[in-house]
Amino acid sequence: MIRLNVSILIEKSENRKPVVLAATELAAKSLRDKGCISYDFFASMTSDDRYMICETWDSKENLDAHMASDHFRTLVPKLQELSTMTLEEFNF
């Protein structure tokens, strides 16, 4: 299995709502992708500019298919334009 933790830092307050909308849509659509075990979008309880996407996939092949999907290729670049994102990957 593969676990991805994507940290999202919103540097401009006006970007908060569009980031939340795009990440929420990404999570909802990604949960329907083959091999998606979990896909959650979290807000920090201590900083209103920090969010995280935590996702778990059953295989590299299904993760690759997800990353090639229309919703990923549309929404992730939008999130990257509006925030600073960092990725941690864990394989288990």
Side-chain angles (χ1 to χ4, degrees):
M1 282 196 283
I2 303 165
R3 174 68 172 212
L4 301 179
N5 292 338
V6 182
S7 297
I8 300 170
L9 173 63
I10 301 171
E11 295 158 342
K12 296 179 182 176
S13 61
E14 63 268 19
N15 290 347
R16 188 172 297 110
K17 184 175 181 177
V19 165
V20 169
L21 291 173
T24 301
E25 181 180 352
L26 180 62
K29 290 182 176 180
S30 298
L31 281 167
R32 294 185 223 132
D33 288 344
K34 180 181 177 186
C36 181
I37 295 170
S38 67
Y39 207 104
D40 295 301
F41 176 54
F42 299 101
S44 171
M45 297 300 292
T46 57
S47 298
D48 62 358
D49 61 349
R50 296 190 181 271
Y51 294 82
M52 180 174 274
I53 295 172
C54 298
E55 52 190 283
T56 305
W57 296 89
D58 68 353
S59 70
K60 176 83 168 107
E61 294 76 24
N62 285 329
L63 174 57
D64 289 345
H66 161 69
M67 293 172 73
S69 69
D70 288 340
H71 55 273
F72 183 93
R73 291 184 300 132
T74 301
L75 294 167
V76 171
K78 184 183 293 187
L79 290 169
Q80 290 172 324
E81 288 176 22
L82 297 169
S83 65
T84 300
M85 298 171 67
T86 55
L87 173 69
E88 296 176 298
E89 181 176 330
F90 305 92
N91 293 282
F92 55 99

